[in-house]
Amino acid sequence: AADLFITKAGGLSTTEAIAKRLPLLYVDAVDGCELRNRDFMIQHGIALHTGDLETIADTVQLILAHPGVRTEQMSAMRRVFPSCGAARLCREVIARHNT
């Protein structure tokens, strides 16, 4: 159980957080795919980022003190990554096959 997931912008961690609709705070990223993950998630309102390790506590306090921030992140997750993706994909494949 958690109110916020503090992590680097790895694909597995990000995917798990999105699956659980758990707000994300990125604190670091490895050059390459993690930077692209971070930038995409921030651009779409799914995650926040603090580039300075000394500001993590202040950023966490800000997020936890304002529930609307977490609500906005979870709404963005639902919008960009809707649930039941496999079922939706199967329906689309069947519909196209039957036409």
Side-chain angles (χ1 to χ4, degrees):
D3 293 320
L4 176 65
F5 189 20
I6 304 168
T7 185
K8 62 186 189 73
L12 291 175
S13 300
T14 297
T15 300
E16 290 174 0
I18 291 170
K20 291 296 184 181
R21 303 296 192 232
L22 186 59
L24 281 161
L25 173 62
Y26 291 138
V27 294
D28 202 1
V30 175
D31 286 344
C33 65
E34 287 188 5
L35 288 176
R36 290 188 296 277
N37 289 346
R38 182 196 68 194
D39 293 346
F40 179 89
M41 298 304 167
I42 291 169
Q43 178 184 7
H44 288 87
I46 293 168
L48 297 174
H49 173 255
T50 180
D52 182 350
L53 295 177
E54 285 136 18
T55 64
I56 292 173
D58 293 336
T59 305
V60 169
Q61 181 60 34
L62 175 76
I63 293 167
L64 295 178
H66 297 91
V69 173
R70 295 189 314 276
T71 300
E72 288 176 20
Q73 283 183 284
M74 291 182 285
S75 293
M77 289 176 186
R78 284 190 293 278
R79 184 177 62 254
V80 176
F81 300 104
S83 61
C84 302
R88 293 174 60 215
L89 177 62
C90 288
R91 285 193 301 272
E92 182 66 25
V93 168
I94 290 168
R96 289 183 185 205
H97 178 72
N98 290 332
T99 57

